[in-house]
Amino acid sequence: MQSHARAVVIGGGVVGVSTLYHLAKKGWTDSVLLERNELTSGSTWHAAGLLPLFNMSYSVGQIHKYSVKLYGELESETGQDVGLRRVSNIRLAQTKDRWDEYMQYAGVAETIGVDVRVLTPAQVKEIWPLCNTENLIGAIQHPDDGYIQPADLTQALATGARNLGATIHRRTRVTAIEQTASGEWKVTTDKGEITCEHLITATGNFVQQTAKMLDLKIPVIPVEHQYIVTDDHPEIVARKEQGLPEMGVLRDSDASWYLRQERGGLLLGPYEVGAPCCYVDGPADDAEYELFQEDLERLEPHIESAIFRVPAFGEVGVKEVYNGAICYTPDGSPIIGPAWDKRNLWLNEGHSFGITAAGGAGWQLAEWIVEGEPTIDMLGVEPRRFGDYATRSYLRKKNEEAYANVFTVHFPDEEREAGRPLRQAPCYDRLKDLGAVFGQKFGWERANWFAPEGVERKDDWSFRRSGWFEHAKAEALNVAENVGVLDMTAFAKCRISGPGALDFLRWMLANRIPSKGRIGLCHSLNSRGGVHSEFTVVREAKDSFYLVSAGMYQRLDHDWLKKHMPTDGSVQFENITNQMGVLVVAGPKSRELLNRVSDADLSNEAFPWLTSQWIDVGMAPALACRVNFVGELGWELHHPIEYQNHIFDALMAAGQDLGIKPFGIRAMDMLRIEKSYRMVGTEMSIEYAAYESGLERFVHPNKGDFKGRDALVAWQQKGFANAFVTLEVHGVTDADPLGNNPIYKDGRLVGRATSGNYGARTDKSYALAVVGPEYAELGTELEMNILGDMHRVTVIPESPFDPENERLRA
């Protein structure tokens, strides 16, 4: 074994080998892969469909699309058959909710360039003659999809990597990992030591052993997964003898299983409730491709359903039942990208659909490592989307839940219950007593909406206007007419201080740094000129700054800052998320309310918009920031968290005759859409230049050098492919745009919605979107697909409610 490599990949399954292949393809031919077993990825597993229903995720969809393209090209590149069979993938729908999901998914797929066809039950029967189409609404089909042989695919990727100059060491076990003082990684194996600049883990079921060696809590634990292979069926054998096409992959999502031909028989893959976690501490050292005892009792409902839908399945004997480990994360998506708090450590773990995502995962991870940035928005698979709350006990509950929900309808407003409540702000019980129905972000419980007296405190999920819609609308209107209180304690918060803090933030942020007492909305760009993070910056002193960002990006944003800080000690970072609570007070009566509980001068002259002051609220101190995300007169009250209930009680008591009521996240989103307020991950992304997201007011190339400035200017000079627009959506009755909806001009795709909602104050439906610049002129008429129905949309000025910000400045 050589003593040094530029990059070392640990783990030789298809995910690891794909990463090695793509590193070598980028020119890193001195990269090495260490595989503890033989290179036969997933010897008991298979890929039934390469384009999973990727939860309407734009980024994850692109990963899978690339994988299918790559696998089709590998055969000509390497001369090896990868076992790719493009037999199509058919998803059946029995319910209206499922059909709505498929229509939303089909829209997302179109924006990515994935072909989706809508089938009637009769067309399903024609393609899949053994299928009983009783009670079906219809189906969607991926004509270019199919399945692949994992071992063949892995060997082809390995051949491709070797042909490019990379090295693979099989039967090589890693026993220790450490990062040296110089920053290099030293990997100790049973065959010697190897050092490298970049270390990538793709260790699958052994991830917990890897995590222990790295002293890192990686949020991945496998779950048991079973599938059944039958004996040959005469009709399938006859079809093969007649040269008829293979019937493809059939998915009865409402029954939670997939089925496809396997030689002359059938293969059934169910996803059942009750499948337990396994390898919580990792497999035994001598484990290779271990199988567990099958448990057919768990599968009985799925077997009965499969027999109903495909009677032929019940007409043959069971040939084999497999039960093995499959990796999961709390939300079911893999983790692909940099580890937190460690330099040049990369994770490619948690692949429950490893074969389907491996090509795209290796592609984007190699881009990230070699070029410094990925080329597509990877937020959906970011390793830093989880935090310290993801303990082993939490993972067991959430990963089992994720497995059980693979085939359930993934509503845009769904909130899963396992592992909750966990992180709670002090006012949690008070909000609960007022009727709060909670959701979760980054482990925090947040009130989504409030059930009035007499209404069941139960969420209702839909792709359309849900049962909570009227209640959230009432909350939003109360904010507009009176005053509302919103708990935003889940915000990520940190302090950047020290003699080098100002220069550091000038480099990291594209906006001008605010003066003392002022508030700035500042964006941190990546090296290409796209938006990585958004921070609200409060300047506390000459060399001290309070930064607030989205709660769900706490680990991501904080790790981003820390990894860019100078190493000379001139800048200090302090995570104060758990020390500070936040209550938002907003509405035309908010000043009158605060005047009742504070002796501070809250007049417009003494306390103008976008400024901050420490004030007393009741008897408690609070940093009052005159800013909010709903477009009304108001303040965010940031306070030491131990004072939260005192502040909350003082506000609620003083505001009874002012119509004070709490409001939730869903009302907040109704209000923000009317102001065209952008969010990271939707309107702002690394895939769009900051100016394509309409951030001209916040990005100033003439302020001095900052990260991504030169690339942004070059991008601007080259010309932008997208323009940010606000759209009024016409003809909406019960289904507002959800985001990722395709937008057309004369039947041609010209853009996509990034988010959408109903605006309570204007009683209209809106979408924020990116379109080709030639379609961004005010008044332009376009069309948008919402759940399969076409709607006329019009480009309108930004901020359809209070465009001059008169209410904010009042």
Side-chain angles (χ1 to χ4, degrees):
M1 177 187 295
Q2 64 266 48
S3 61
H4 183 82
R6 186 177 301 187
V8 168
V9 181
I10 305 174
V14 66
V15 173
V17 178
S18 173
T19 305
L20 182 74
Y21 167 81
H22 284 94
L23 285 170
K25 205 168 185 180
K26 298 290 284 184
W28 283 26
T29 55
D30 57 344
S31 297
V32 169
L33 182 140
L34 307 176
E35 161 61 352
R36 64 181 291 133
N37 299 314
E38 288 299 327
L39 213 56
T40 55
S41 173
S43 60
T44 59
W45 297 121
H46 53 88
L50 300 178
L51 289 162
L53 189 63
F54 30 78
N55 301 352
M56 288 71 72
S57 171
Y58 185 72
S59 57
V60 177
Q62 292 181 87
I63 289 173
H64 287 281
K65 177 190 173 185
Y66 174 87
S67 295
V68 175
K69 177 177 179 290
L70 170 69
Y71 300 162
E73 295 172 348
L74 267 178
E75 292 186 0
S76 58
E77 181 181 331
T78 64
Q80 291 187 222
D81 181 5
V82 300
L84 177 60
R85 303 294 179 260
R86 295 184 186 271
V87 296
S88 90
N89 191 336
I90 301 168
R91 303 176 188 276
L92 308 177
Q94 300 178 38
T95 67
K96 186 66 171 65
D97 282 337
R98 181 69 69 183
W99 192 249
D100 281 348
E101 179 184 42
Y102 285 173
M103 292 302 97
Q104 172 69 12
Y105 168 64
V108 179
E110 184 172 1
T111 67
I112 298 169
V114 172
D115 188 13
V116 174
R117 298 178 185 175
V118 176
L119 303 179
T120 64
Q123 289 171 316
V124 172
K125 186 72 174 179
E126 182 180 343
I127 298 168
W128 238 96
L130 301 186
C131 178
N132 170 20
T133 58
E134 182 182 340
N135 73 17
L136 291 183
I137 294 176
I140 58 172
Q141 180 192 33
H142 290 298
D144 299 324
D145 201 1
Y147 63 91
I148 199 164
Q149 299 302 325
D152 295 340
L153 171 61
T154 306
Q155 294 297 337
L157 284 166
T159 297
R162 291 188 182 106
N163 289 346
L164 291 166
T167 303
I168 296 174
H169 295 282
R170 295 182 294 177
R171 294 287 178 184
T172 304
R173 184 169 301 177
V174 174
T175 57
I177 305 169
E178 65 176 295
Q179 194 162 25
T180 66
S182 67
E184 282 199 322
W185 290 96
K186 183 172 75 172
V187 182
T188 304
T189 78
D190 56 359
K191 294 181 180 177
E193 291 182 352
I194 184 169
T195 60
C196 59
E197 180 183 351
H198 291 269
L199 180 66
I200 302 104
T201 78
T203 50
N205 292 335
F206 293 89
V207 64
Q208 287 305 314
Q209 282 103 319
T210 308
K212 188 174 182 180
M213 286 188 281
L214 290 167
D215 191 25
L216 194 72
K217 293 182 178 177
I218 302 176
V220 176
I221 292 179
V223 178
E224 289 186 17
H225 175 54
Q226 301 184 85
Y227 67 92
I228 300 170
V229 178
T230 73
D231 293 325
D232 288 355
H233 190 282
E235 288 192 55
I236 295 175
V237 173
R239 285 181 61 86
K240 290 171 70 71
E241 291 174 348
Q242 295 167 31
L244 294 173
E246 192 171 332
M247 291 181 291
V249 181
L250 188 72
R251 293 177 180 269
D252 193 333
S253 299
D254 293 308
S256 198
W257 52 257
Y258 61 84
L259 187 78
R260 70 167 174 86
Q261 289 181 218
E262 175 70 3
R263 296 184 174 87
L266 294 166
L267 184 153
L268 176 72
Y271 280 80
E272 76 277 21
V273 175
C277 279
C278 56
Y279 296 149
V280 175
D281 297 310
D285 285 342
D286 58 352
E288 190 161 345
Y289 299 112
E290 183 178 9
L291 294 176
F292 306 118
Q293 180 64 44
E294 68 271 14
D295 186 351
L296 287 176
E297 187 175 337
R298 288 205 315 260
L299 305 184
E300 283 180 3
H302 305 279
I303 293 171
E304 292 171 3
S305 168
I307 291 173
F308 166 77
R309 184 62 63 202
V310 181
F313 181 73
E315 297 168 358
V316 287
V318 172
K319 184 177 182 180
E320 200 79 56
V321 180
Y322 295 92
N323 185 14
I326 185 169
C327 284
Y328 266 84
T329 64
D331 60 10
S333 293
I335 53 176
I336 308 167
W340 53 99
D341 295 335
K342 295 181 184 292
R343 293 189 181 275
N344 295 340
L345 175 63
W346 306 84
L347 305 176
N348 204 349
E349 304 280 7
H351 285 269
S352 53
F353 297 95
I355 300 149
T356 67
W363 161 55
Q364 277 304 291
L365 197 56
E367 292 274 357
W368 214 332
I369 294 169
V370 177
E371 307 294 340
E373 308 283 355
T375 50
I376 64 173
D377 188 333
M378 296 287 282
L379 287 175
V381 294
E382 245 289 350
R384 295 165 290 186
R385 71 185 185 274
F386 303 110
D388 291 339
Y389 63 88
T391 62
R392 185 171 301 189
S393 300
Y394 176 88
L395 292 178
R396 293 185 74 147
K397 288 181 177 292
K398 295 301 288 186
N399 292 14
E400 289 175 1
E401 179 189 57
Y403 177 90
N405 282 279
V406 165
F407 277 103
T408 58
V409 177
H410 294 290
F411 294 104
D413 52 356
E414 75 173 335
E415 297 279 359
R416 296 180 184 169
E417 295 301 318
R420 296 177 51 204
L422 186 56
R423 302 178 80 183
Q424 302 170 40
C427 67
Y428 172 84
D429 287 328
R430 283 163 167 76
L431 296 177
K432 190 174 182 179
D433 290 342
L434 290 169
V437 180
F438 291 94
Q440 175 273 142
K441 276 289 183 292
F442 208 70
W444 286 99
E445 293 294 315
R446 304 191 309 177
N448 276 336
W449 61 282
F450 288 82
E453 189 173 347
V455 174
E456 185 180 8
R457 299 179 185 183
K458 183 180 179 181
D459 224 347
D460 172 60
W461 305 331
S462 175
F463 286 85
R464 301 173 183 271
R465 293 178 178 175
S466 304
W468 51 262
F469 174 82
E470 291 297 333
H471 306 304
K473 176 182 174 181
E475 294 168 28
L477 290 175
N478 187 68
V479 172
E481 296 164 5
N482 298 305
V483 60
V485 176
L486 171 69
D487 170 37
M488 290 298 288
T489 299
F491 273 147
K493 315 163 202 88
C494 68
R495 177 170 288 117
I496 301 292
S497 61
L502 177 58
D503 287 340
F504 169 64
L505 291 178
R506 281 174 173 161
W507 162 252
M508 283 300 295
L509 303 176
N511 202 349
R512 297 182 178 91
I513 306 303
S515 57
K516 188 177 185 300
R518 299 290 300 181
I519 300 170
L521 185 63
C522 302
H523 300 86
S524 185
L525 311 187
N526 72 352
S527 62
R528 300 176 190 269
V531 177
H532 184 282
S533 300
E534 180 182 67
F535 299 96
T536 299
V537 180
V538 179
R539 189 166 187 173
E540 303 172 308
K542 177 183 177 182
D543 58 0
S544 183
F545 302 84
Y546 176 55
L547 273 62
V548 181
S549 61
M552 67 185 296
Y553 300 133
Q554 177 188 321
R555 177 172 273 175
L556 173 66
D557 287 342
H558 290 182
D559 191 60
W560 175 253
L561 290 170
K562 287 186 286 184
K563 283 180 176 172
H564 283 86
M565 282 169 45
T567 58
D568 60 4
S570 62
V571 180
Q572 287 83 50
F573 171 91
E574 183 184 4
N575 177 14
I576 54 176
T577 299
N578 295 344
Q579 299 173 30
M580 299 291 287
V582 182
L583 295 174
V584 178
V585 178
K589 299 178 182 178
S590 57
R591 180 179 282 119
E592 184 177 356
L593 171 66
L594 286 176
N595 277 330
R596 295 181 179 185
V597 296
S598 178
D599 59 3
D601 185 350
L602 301 171
S603 66
N604 207 35
E605 295 73 25
F607 206 144
W609 185 43
L610 296 180
T611 64
S612 66
Q613 299 176 30
W614 278 95
I615 67 173
D616 291 347
V617 180
M619 294 179 288
L623 176 64
C625 299
R626 196 170 161 196
V627 65
N628 62 65
F629 203 52
V630 299
E632 296 285 347
L633 172 67
W635 283 262
E636 290 180 359
L637 301 177
H638 296 247
H639 49 272
I641 203 162
E642 64 269 24
Y643 295 114
Q644 182 165 92
N645 284 341
H646 174 84
I647 294 173
F648 184 88
D649 291 345
L651 293 170
M652 295 303 293
Q656 289 305 304
D657 63 328
L658 300 177
I660 190 171
K661 291 181 181 178
F663 67 104
I665 295 296
R666 291 174 182 164
M668 182 195 77
D669 198 66
M670 289 181 175
L671 296 167
R672 77 100 186 171
I673 204 77
E674 294 175 307
K675 296 296 295 177
S676 303
Y677 288 161
R678 289 81 155 155
M679 293 196 302
V680 173
T682 53
E683 290 71 47
M684 295 179 287
S685 163
I686 65 166
E687 292 190 35
Y688 305 126
Y691 291 150
E692 288 183 302
S693 295
L695 298 179
E696 289 84 357
R697 289 172 296 167
F698 307 102
V699 176
H700 301 285
N702 60 351
K703 82 176 184 79
D705 197 13
F706 58 85
K707 185 176 177 64
R709 184 190 71 165
D710 292 347
L712 176 63
V713 171
W715 199 341
Q716 184 180 34
Q717 292 171 346
K718 179 182 177 183
F720 295 132
N722 301 287
F724 175 83
V725 294
T726 300
L727 300 171
E728 182 179 339
V729 186
H730 306 283
V732 169
T733 55
D734 69 338
D736 300 288
L738 297 168
N740 290 324
N741 305 79
I743 298 170
Y744 310 90
K745 180 66 174 179
D746 299 328
R748 187 168 66 88
L749 183 71
V750 297
R752 70 181 184 98
T754 52
S755 61
N757 208 335
Y758 164 81
R761 292 169 295 201
T762 55
D763 191 29
K764 292 180 179 180
S765 188
Y766 300 104
L768 306 182
V770 287
V771 298
E774 63 271 34
Y775 305 105
E777 185 176 344
L778 295 180
T780 301
E781 297 271 327
L782 302 167
E783 285 190 302
M784 177 186 293
N785 183 331
I786 303 177
L787 303 182
D789 294 327
M790 298 301 291
H791 290 259
R792 182 172 63 90
V793 298
T794 306
V795 178
I796 61 172
E798 275 196 34
S799 188
F801 177 78
D802 188 25
E804 300 302 320
N805 287 331
E806 292 176 1
R807 294 175 74 118
L808 279 169
R809 300 173 185 269

